[in-house]
Structures are given as C-alpha cells and as structure tokens.
Amino acid sequence: MITGIVQGVGFRPFVYRLATELNLSGFTFNNSQGVTIELQGNSTNITQFVDTLTHTPPPLARIDTFEQVEVDSLANCSGFEIIHSESDCSAQVAISADKSSCPDCLSELNDPTNRHYRYPFTNCTNCGPRYTLINALPYDRPNTSMAHFTMCPECERAYQDPLDRRYHAQPVSCPHCGPQLTLTDNQGAAIAHKDAALQQTVERIKAGEIVAIKGLGGFHLVCDATNHAAVTALRLRKQRPAKPFAVMCADIETAKSLARGSDLAWQVLTSQERPIVLLDKHQTPTGETQLSPSVAPTIDRIGLFLPYTPLHHLLLQALKRPLVATSANRSGEPIITDSQDICTRLQGVVDCILDHDRIILNGCDDSVVQVIDDTVQIIRLARGYAPLTMHCNRPVPQSTLAVGAQQKNSIAFGFGHNLVLSPHIGDLFSLEAEQYFIDTLATFKRLYAFNPEQIIRDCHPDYASSQWAEQFSQLNGHCQPTQVQHHYAHILSVMAANQHTGKVLGFSFDGTGLGEGRELWGGEAMIADIQGYQRIAHLKPITLIGAEQAIKDPRRIMLAMLFEQYTLEQVLQLPLTNIAAMPQASIINLHKLWQKGVATQQTSSVGRLFDALACLLGVIETTQFEGQAGMIIESLANGLTEQQVANAGLVFNLPLIDGQWQTDLLWQQMMDVQLSRGDNETTKALIAKGFMDCLADAAVSLAKRHPQLPIALCGGVYQNRYLLSLTRQRLDEHGLNWLDTKGVPVNDGGIALGQLWYGIHQ
C-alpha cells in the first residue's frame, strides 16, 4: 500500500509502464487509502521497481508511506494490468491540488493539426483541475463534475490506454465531447458560444470593458491593466480604493519588464503551481511603467502571475497585453464560483461574463506568495498548493477538526497519519463567507468520511468559527471544544510545519487577537511547546480609542500615543499632517474618551503600532485594507539609498523593562526626529527604517537570552519582507536557529494548523 498524493497524478500509468519494462506481472488499483500494487516476477527486477518508484515517482506525486508485504505467488499470472478502483468508508489518500497547463497540452493547444487546437479545456494526467472538481474519493470520473460529459471515441481511447498521458485523466475532453464557453451579458443572457465567445471577450477587454471570467476555482474580474480608465472603473465599481490588484502576464519576459525579482522568485512564478508572486516594481527613471498607476498605488511592489489554464493562454495570446485579474467577489466575501451569483451580486461591477459548463464543486482562490532571501513565504494558501496534506510521523489518536480564526480563515483536519490544511476560505464577516466556511467543512467531511471526535477553536467567543464549533458540539453531543489562544496557535503552526514538539521561543507579531483576561494581544514573545506557553515579553499596551473603530481609523491610535506625552493644547499645535487635517472638535472629543477611559481598549499589537506610525508620518488617514500601513512603511524604507542611511546615523531603541517593550519611549524617539528634521520624504523613510530595525533588534536581543531554543517568527506582521529578512539575518549573525514556515502561512491562514497540532497532542 502506498499513501500520499498518488491519485490523479499519473501514478498508476507510471506503475504500469515501469512494471511492463521490467517484465513484472500483477496489477494495481486505487482505493480510498491510496494505491495498491501487487507484483510477481524476478526478485532483482522487483527491487529495481521499488527503487525507481520511491526515488523518481511521477512529477506531481508525493509518497508518504510505502508498505511492503510478501504474498503467495499465483499460477498462470502473466502481464500487468490496472484494475477498477475500490471504495471504502475510511479515506486516507491525499487530494492533489489543481495544477497549471503542462507544456505538452500547451503545444497541442497551438497546433492546428491537433484535435485539441484552441480548446480551452485541454488537460492530461500531468495538469489541470483536481480539488476544484472532485466530489468524492477515490478520484475517478464518476466522482467529479465531469461525470455528465460522455467521452467521444477518441477521448475514450486515450482515457483507457495506460501508455497515453491522458490515461484516467478524469477531466479529459475535447471540442467534440467536453465543456464549452459561453459569453453572456451581466444579466446572464447569452451573447456568443465557443470560440466566438472567446473572440468577443478579447474585443470587449480591448475596448475597456470589465469581464468576469471563470477559471479553475472561481471567477476573476478582468480588465486591461494598461488602460487607466478601465482599472479606475474597476476600483470604483468594486469599492476597492487602494488594495493592490494582481496582474496576469502572458509570459516571464512580460513579467520581467514590469518587476524585479531573484532567480528563485522567477522559478516560483513559472512553477506548475502558478501563484501570484509579490515582486518589486520595475520602474523607468521617470517612475512610470506600462501599467495603470491604479493597479498598485502607493507601494513599491506588485503581484504578478502567469496564465495557468488553456483559456488564460488563449486570452493573453490574443490580447498581447497584461490583465488585471482579481478575485470576483464583494469586499470581504469569498470568491464566486457560479455565474448566477455574478449576475446577482456583481451585476453593477461587470459588463459581461465569460462562463463555461464545467461546474466548480470546490471554490479555490489564487495563491499569493513572496520570496524573502532564499525562502518562499506563502501568504494565501490556495490554488496549486492546497489542500496542503502533511504526513504526521505519529498517528493522530482521534479525528480532530480545527476551525481556525476569524480573518483569513482556513480549517484543518487530523486523521490517521494525515494533517490537512484547507485552501484559504477568507474573512468570516458575512453570511456568504460563513456559508463558504460551512461548504468547505462539508467538502472535507464528505471526501474523507470525516466525523470529528475532537474540535479545536480560538479563545475568542465571537469568532464565527468559534460559534460554529460550540453549536456543532451541542448538536452532536460532543464535549466542549478545546480553546487555544490565538498567538500561541501562530507559534504552534510553525512547530507543526516542522513536526516540532519541544520548546521554542516564538515571536507572534500581528494585528489583534484575544489574549488572557479579554485583552487584545499582538506583540508577544512566548516560550512554548505542545503543552502550553509562557508569555515572557510583550509590547507595553497602547490605547484604542473607540476600540475596534481605531483599527479602521488609526489616527485614534496615533492620538492616544500623543495624549500620553503631550497636553491636549500641545497636540492641537503639533505640525503633523493628520493633526492639521482633523477637525479640532474631533480631537477634543477623542481626548475626553481617552482621558475617561470610556469606549477604549488596550492592545499590545505590533500591527496597531505600524498603523499609528503611518498616521504620524502622514502616509495614511484611514485603513483601506489589512496590512496597508506595513506595506507603505516598508516601501518608504526600501526607497532609501545607502548614502542617506549612512548620513542620518539614526538608531532607535526599544528597551525591555519588566517583560514589556517600552512602546512609549520608542514613540517619543520617533516624534523627536519627526519634529526636529521636518516633514519630508527622507525623514519619513528614515523613521520607517529605524522603526523596523528597532523591532528586529528587540527580537534578536531577547532571543540571545535563550540561545538553546529554536525561534518561530510568526503572525501577519512577519509578512513584512524588510522586517523578516533583517530579523533572520541578525539571528544568523548570532548563530541562532530559526524555523522556516515551510509553506504554512504566517498570518491567520495558518492558525487552524497550529490549533490542530495542539489538539492531536493532548
């Protein structure tokens, strides 16, 4: 028995060819556990078979376990065959993620003599949809959304031929028997079909229209990225004023004309996972690019990705220009997978819809990654990477479900030797998002016949995921769900990625999460293991005036920091952009709330400190999207020259006294520089750099006190490339060992895996 990612990846045809080459007889079949192979023949050849299969499996396969037993030989056994799959109620096989088009399929797509010429759904065993169209295990065509497409004789022949690369490729089809395109208006009325639909879509995009286009795991909202009016219109219609848009480029040459990246970054961009990769903008001396400035305003980075379906390739070949391709949804809601929902919810956003009749059973957004030094950091774990299945060295004692956090939600499952982290679900702030959460749960429960015996949730009682866990336990007679503190779960997620159970020193820096005693944490240092944690340091709390309102309007946090050090009259006279822009009456009212402690909350969040600094520097007023302040502060620091840094000689200090990093002392240092050096871009950039340098030094200084402990750097703040790179570099300089996240998001997308790691060890 072989387990791992061994179904839907050409594993059995590979086994068939290898056994045939080595003159071995026997058979192989799929079941819900994995793949079974029975061999008979020369012992030397069997040894060679096992060696080849374990060391050079098919490109998309991953072998987790390889169990061998001897069986009695059979008389009259000749030849090797692939027999029908078996199904049972206890699935263990790892589901493969969707993969981008392979070179062979793209070659056929562009070959006028091939029957797949210009067919937008061309695929084979080595590429195409997997997770997004599977309904049940084992992974066979009747268990997918291709079940109602009857194969034509030519596709049937390829599907049944073990020597053909389309052997048992479940989505196999061609223009005669497979899915087809339909272009509709924004109310769903058909305009054109098949190739005519594609050609009209091209013309409409060239004319500046916004089109919803169905991909593998959902719809994109697409427009010409070089057309400023079209990009601006998309922002207005989607009510997304500042958050960057991703751009799809036809090829790596186009991408390199728009951005700069390391060799590793280009490798990731062209990998079969085809994620969105965050790269440095490549600008001309005048600061212009061929893209609309509205694609990624105010920051020095851009998210690029390459086409990953035949449809995308055909589209970009015809357009010969980069496209904005952003998830089709309303702000904060999950990606839309059905054209009827586009008509209902985004009718005022799109001009037309390019749809097709292959149903998306399981929604899956685009993955987002960045390269930091020589490591890949996953920001959004989704298409190409997810579901992420990890082999657990020890068996999971009972089926365990972890329901994750409120933002960037994902869910995790533990059973057998498997730890499974779902694709990105999103923020659970709407009924649609909560339904998507429930649908994703149902998908995995159905695929794995999974019934949780233990449920793990966040400590925050108001999270939608926490409330679901409580209701499920009451309805199903389970004991109370186990609660895991948010920032401890961040650290546990890094431990899980490394199969680590011993003590670590974790730095959990993020926006906010519920701490002990209803406090809001977010700047924590903990010594932790799988049994618990000790909070050994944290930011000295800062005040959120208006509580959650301060997260959306971080000027309130800035004012609270200023009120700590200046009188109200002095604050009103400060020569700061955001002070001058606010009505004095508003500042006076906020001062009263701060003074009386009414409608305020304390937080130790590093993310909120970034927000306050961005307001101090006058680069934001209100927060348009999560992490905006951190992106802008990083962009400011990246714009400095070495000479400017050397001439400034600016160093801030963040002392640790009685377990608290003295936030107020750091703030006063930054204020002194801001007021003494004047409100100019260089001063802002120097303060931004000095602030992040100071955070890195504070973490490293504490780590030096615990040199024997591995270090986990986690939480959304560590998506800041400058901060993470500098912190790792300084840890390396002192010979301190840090743990890589190995494909698990450091943000709240990894929380569920951390919760799961705790639960399975209790």
Side-chain angles (χ1 to χ4, degrees), residues 146-221:
M146 291 296 295
H148 66 283
F149 291 100
T150 302
M151 285 181 277
C152 67
E154 288 185 273
C155 285
E156 179 76 25
R157 180 198 55 75
Y159 183 83
Q160 298 292 356
D161 182 359
L163 298 179
D164 194 291
R165 78 174 201 282
R166 290 194 168 90
Y167 175 77
H168 279 216
Q170 307 310 336
V172 67
S173 61
C174 75
H176 301 295
C177 64
Q180 300 291 347
L181 295 175
T182 300
L183 180 68
T184 75
D185 63 19
N186 60 9
Q187 297 179 50
I191 298 171
H193 299 278
K194 300 184 179 180
D195 201 54
L198 178 59
Q199 291 177 24
Q200 284 206 36
T201 299
V202 169
E203 295 308 314
R204 286 168 175 264
I205 293 173
K206 285 181 177 178
E209 291 193 10
I210 296 165
V211 185
I213 297 180
K214 192 175 185 179
L216 283 181
F219 280 85
H220 284 126
L221 299 181

Side-chain angles (χ1 to χ4, degrees), residues 534-551:
Q534 177 190 0
R535 187 187 187 210
I536 62 170
H538 59 88
L539 281 192
K540 186 176 181 179
I542 56 182
T543 303
L544 304 178
I545 304 175
E548 288 194 9
Q549 291 182 58
I551 297 173

Side-chain angles (χ1 to χ4, degrees), residues 116-343:
H116 294 94
Y117 178 59
R118 291 187 59 79
Y119 181 56
F121 306 96
T122 301
N123 66 84
C124 71
T125 309
N126 300 320
C127 65
R130 301 288 196 279
Y131 168 74
T132 54
L133 56 67
I134 190 170
N135 187 55
L137 288 173
Y139 177 63
D140 285 331
R141 193 176 178 104
N143 293 332
T144 73
S145 59
M146 291 296 295
H148 66 283
F149 291 100
T150 302
M151 285 181 277
C152 67
E154 288 185 273
C155 285
E156 179 76 25
R157 180 198 55 75
Y159 183 83
Q160 298 292 356
D161 182 359
L163 298 179
D164 194 291
R165 78 174 201 282
R166 290 194 168 90
Y167 175 77
H168 279 216
Q170 307 310 336
V172 67
S173 61
C174 75
H176 301 295
C177 64
Q180 300 291 347
L181 295 175
T182 300
L183 180 68
T184 75
D185 63 19
N186 60 9
Q187 297 179 50
I191 298 171
H193 299 278
K194 300 184 179 180
D195 201 54
L198 178 59
Q199 291 177 24
Q200 284 206 36
T201 299
V202 169
E203 295 308 314
R204 286 168 175 264
I205 293 173
K206 285 181 177 178
E209 291 193 10
I210 296 165
V211 185
I213 297 180
K214 192 175 185 179
L216 283 181
F219 280 85
H220 284 126
L221 299 181
V222 171
C223 71
D224 180 355
T226 68
N227 184 330
H228 184 58
V231 179
T232 302
L234 177 56
R235 285 206 175 278
L236 288 172
R237 294 185 196 179
K238 202 182 178 190
Q239 298 179 8
R240 180 169 162 168
K243 190 175 182 180
F245 285 137
V247 173
M248 184 180 283
C249 304
D251 48 47
I252 192 170
E253 289 74 27
T254 304
K256 286 184 175 180
S257 74
L258 300 174
R260 293 177 288 110
S262 65
D263 289 344
L264 178 57
W266 299 126
Q267 288 174 26
V268 175
L269 186 80
T270 56
S271 69
Q272 203 163 11
E273 288 74 23
R274 286 290 198 275
I276 297 169
V277 182
L278 302 185
L279 298 156
D280 295 323
K281 286 179 181 175
H282 181 66
Q283 295 184 328
T284 65
T286 60
E288 298 176 351
T289 74
Q290 60 180 288
L291 300 179
S292 161
S294 288
V295 168
T298 73
I299 60 172
D300 60 354
R301 308 188 74 198
I302 188 168
L304 302 180
F305 62 139
L306 299 183
Y308 54 85
T309 70
L311 174 59
H312 294 139
H313 281 277
L314 292 170
L315 194 65
L316 284 157
Q317 284 170 15
L319 282 162
K320 296 180 172 56
R321 66 195 72 182
L323 294 174
V324 164
T326 188
S327 302
N329 56 9
R330 291 189 298 200
S331 180
E333 292 184 2
I335 190 168
I336 293 173
T337 60
D338 183 80
S339 59
Q340 282 301 112
D341 288 336
I342 297 284
C343 297

